[in-house]
Amino acid sequence: MSTTTTSRPSDAATKRPRRSRRNRNALRYGGNRLRYAGIVALFLAPSLVPLTLFTLVPMVSSLWVALHDWNLITPMEFVGLANFRELLSDGDTWAAFGHTLGYIAGYLPLVYLLGLGAALALNTALRGRNVFRAAYFLPVVTSWVVVALLWRWLLSPSNGLVNHLLGLVGIDGPGWWTDPAWAMPSVILASAWKDLGFVMIILLAGLQAVPGELYDAARVDGASAWQRFRYVTLPLLSPPTFFVVVISLINGFQVFDQVYVMTGGGPAGSTEVVVQQIYDLTFRYGRAGDASALSWLLFVVVLLVTIVQVRGQRRWVTYA
């Protein structure tokens, strides 16, 4: 009886190349990351595409223009960093930054204190407080041109309502936006009035997030109203305060609309801020390269100030 034997393939032939478990996990993880990134990009596309087209691309283009001499009509001429050197040695540039800092120094404390006072008042059981909240917030959604024209009339030296009311109590009102000494305070008043509602809403939300038990415990310990405000309200209000300060500073460096409508940078250049100078360099003097360079100098200043604020928040912002 014969037996048939079947030959088995050798072990080398039966072995197939296999990836290690680590390689398979890496491939799977990489594929998941790509799939996740694709899904995120799909959902962000409605906002990411306009951001790229109308913000990032113009920023890069303005940097390219800043390296050229261009009057918006003739071909651009490459000049390198000459525009930046010229601006840094120009007294008008430093004057514009000085006027901008002066505006911020008057605007920021005023709008914060007024907004804090309004938030504290509307955080109580005040009758009709929803009406007051809407009334305070209404200027925020109003066009800056409308607000600036309104305050230009209110502060008119000849027939303005403010000087009329001052005259009733025997006070001779100043020239306001027609006087170099009062032009910037006029712009600051209009700006603080318009942005008061924004600051109030942010701080009011912060006040409503403060636990009432902390106030009760402070009363039991015999703390006065000022002590409760100083040691309970202000520390817990530091996060919204930080947000308001950062946003208000950024907006303050970019002030333009109210200056352009109310004073046009005058009188005698007393209210010519940085963005006003960028506008004039571009559309009045045809110096688009200088204007783009100045806009980048402003960007660097705002960036540095914001970085200092973010780093300094650890010393005074309480999140607990």
Side-chain angles (χ1 to χ4, degrees), residues 93-298:
T93 302
W94 296 105
F97 273 102
H99 296 155
T100 303
L101 293 176
Y103 166 83
I104 294 174
Y107 161 77
L108 186 57
L110 181 62
V111 73
Y112 178 78
L113 293 177
L114 292 177
L116 178 60
L120 291 171
L122 296 179
N123 194 41
T124 60
L126 181 67
R127 175 178 293 183
R129 60 181 178 179
N130 291 332
V131 177
F132 286 105
R133 290 175 183 176
Y136 280 122
F137 194 76
L138 184 61
V140 178
V141 296
T142 305
S143 169
W144 247 123
V145 175
V146 175
V147 172
L149 289 175
L150 172 64
W151 276 91
R152 182 182 171 92
W153 169 74
L154 288 174
L155 299 178
S156 176
S158 56
N159 56 3
L161 180 62
V162 174
N163 278 1
H164 175 71
L165 295 177
L166 292 176
L168 295 179
V169 295
I171 300 177
D172 188 14
W176 296 111
W177 48 266
T178 62
D179 187 348
W182 285 93
M184 188 58 78
S186 303
V187 176
I188 291 173
L189 283 175
S191 303
W193 181 81
K194 186 180 189 304
D195 297 335
L196 165 64
F198 171 77
V199 177
M200 177 203 70
I201 289 295
I202 300 299
L203 296 181
L204 182 59
L207 288 173
Q208 293 178 347
V210 178
E213 294 83 0
L214 297 179
Y215 293 112
D216 296 336
R219 292 189 187 94
V220 171
D221 291 339
S224 63
W226 165 251
Q227 289 174 330
R228 293 194 300 270
F229 174 75
R230 169 67 179 83
Y231 296 106
V232 178
T233 303
L234 281 183
L236 295 181
L237 206 60
S238 56
T241 296
F242 172 72
F243 174 79
V244 165
V245 170
V246 171
I247 296 299
S248 299
L249 268 176
I250 293 175
N251 292 335
F253 276 107
Q254 300 179 76
V255 57
F256 171 70
D257 304 64
Q258 55 270 50
V259 172
Y260 182 77
V261 176
M262 292 183 66
T263 65
S270 58
T271 59
E272 186 176 14
V273 291
V274 177
V275 180
Q276 172 77 39
Q277 192 174 56
I278 293 173
Y279 175 86
D280 290 341
L281 287 173
T282 305
F283 299 106
R284 292 184 60 182
Y285 307 118
R287 296 165 56 187
D290 292 332
S292 297
L294 183 56
S295 66
W296 273 93
L297 291 178
L298 178 61

Side-chain angles (χ1 to χ4, degrees), residues 19 21-33:
R19 296 187 179 97
R21 180 178 299 177
R22 181 179 299 177
N23 291 339
R24 292 199 303 270
N25 291 339
L27 290 174
R28 187 181 301 112
Y29 179 68
N32 291 337
R33 289 189 62 184

